[in-house]
Amino acid sequence: MDRSTNRVFCFVEGINLAAQNGFFRQAATVLGRVRELAPDNLAARLWLGQIYVLSRQPDRALEALREPLEQPEKFSLAKTNLTDLNIIAATAYFQKNDLARGHPIGRKPKLPAIRLTTGCATPPCRFM
């Protein structure tokens, strides 16, 4: 294991240990250091946002997530990461009682209406 990989491993272990034991401030300190070393690391920002939400610091959570929310192309967001990002941001907005900004993020996408007629999803029904 090279030196940089070992350093990242130590950070991850420190974060896990601190968060699992409820030491959110210590976990946030470690994640803040990771953010300084790798500002484009999406996982660190998601963890940091989550830690701040868990410790009831929504403004700090939103600050940690600001760049990925404003510049998603910079962070190569996948569908899963985008979902995590939106859930953490929505939770932070709800903690701030900003329901207008939290609700659209967490809302299910609107599905097209399907009209049911004579047992078929789309007319004309060719099975009758």
Side-chain angles (χ1 to χ4, degrees), residues 86-112:
N86 286 335
I87 288 171
I88 297 166
T91 304
Y93 283 121
F94 286 139
Q95 284 182 352
K96 292 174 54 126
N97 289 322
D98 189 346
L99 304 181
R101 291 185 75 184
H103 184 65
I105 292 173
R107 184 184 309 152
K108 290 182 180 179
K110 201 171 200 179
L111 298 175

Side-chain angles (χ1 to χ4, degrees), residues 27-102:
T29 300
V30 173
L31 285 163
R33 180 73 176 130
V34 171
R35 185 176 166 192
E36 288 173 14
L37 294 172
D40 296 340
N41 186 314
L42 179 61
R45 286 178 180 263
L46 292 175
W47 268 82
L48 190 56
Q50 181 116 12
I51 292 295
Y52 284 138
V53 163
L54 289 171
S55 60
R56 298 278 190 205
Q57 298 180 56
D59 291 324
R60 286 187 167 185
L62 291 169
E63 175 55 33
L65 302 175
R66 184 179 51 79
E67 283 187 76
L69 286 168
E70 292 175 357
Q71 303 171 18
E73 66 284 346
K74 179 179 176 183
F75 292 88
S76 301
L77 288 170
K79 189 174 183 178
T80 306
N81 291 341
L82 182 60
T83 301
D84 292 341
L85 176 66
N86 286 335
I87 288 171
I88 297 166
T91 304
Y93 283 121
F94 286 139
Q95 284 182 352
K96 292 174 54 126
N97 289 322
D98 189 346
L99 304 181
R101 291 185 75 184

Side-chain angles (χ1 to χ4, degrees), residues 111-117 120-123:
L111 298 175
I114 297 175
R115 192 173 129 200
L116 295 177
T117 57
C120 293
T122 55

